[in-house]
Amino acid sequence: MACNCCGKRLNSGMIHKKDSQTGKKYKSCPHCSDANGGLHVFHPYPSSFGNTPARVTARNPDGDQSYCIDCRGLDKGVPSQVYLNGRTCNSFI
């Protein structure tokens, strides 16, 4: 499924945005975006994600986690409950 704002896939967790007023960075969580159902949901980056050497690749040199910390702690099949705490894609326009 594609985001109603940017048209990119909701299951893509490597989309980064920057707040033009504060300069803070944000990253989308695919699980939160899926729970939202129409727009990417972003959380502060890197504090809400973390990283690991196991995820280091050429496209992900810092080893960023895909899902936010809260979603990584959920059992499989449990929808995100924290997506309402994030910022949607259209809030960066």
Side-chain angles (χ1 to χ4, degrees):
M1 175 178 261
C3 177
N4 294 330
C5 178
C6 70
K8 295 181 181 177
R9 295 184 338 232
L10 289 178
N11 66 349
S12 175
M14 296 308 293
I15 298 170
H16 295 250
K17 299 275 186 180
K18 190 175 194 177
D19 186 303
S20 61
Q21 294 180 349
T22 65
K24 288 179 71 173
K25 293 180 183 178
Y26 291 81
K27 180 180 170 306
S28 68
C29 171
H31 199 63
C32 287
S33 299
D34 182 56
N36 179 276
L39 296 167
H40 283 110
V41 175
F42 291 82
H43 299 287
Y45 171 81
S47 62
S48 293
F49 290 89
N51 54 31
T52 176
R55 296 199 44 89
V56 172
T57 65
R59 290 185 65 197
N60 186 13
D62 295 326
D64 298 331
Q65 295 282 359
S66 293
Y67 287 10
C68 69
I69 292 168
D70 292 314
C71 285
R72 285 198 319 270
L74 295 173
D75 290 332
K76 189 172 179 101
V78 175
S80 170
Q81 299 298 311
V82 297
Y83 76 95
L84 295 171
N85 298 337
R87 290 183 59 179
T88 55
C89 196
N90 59 356
S91 74
F92 291 96
I93 297 174

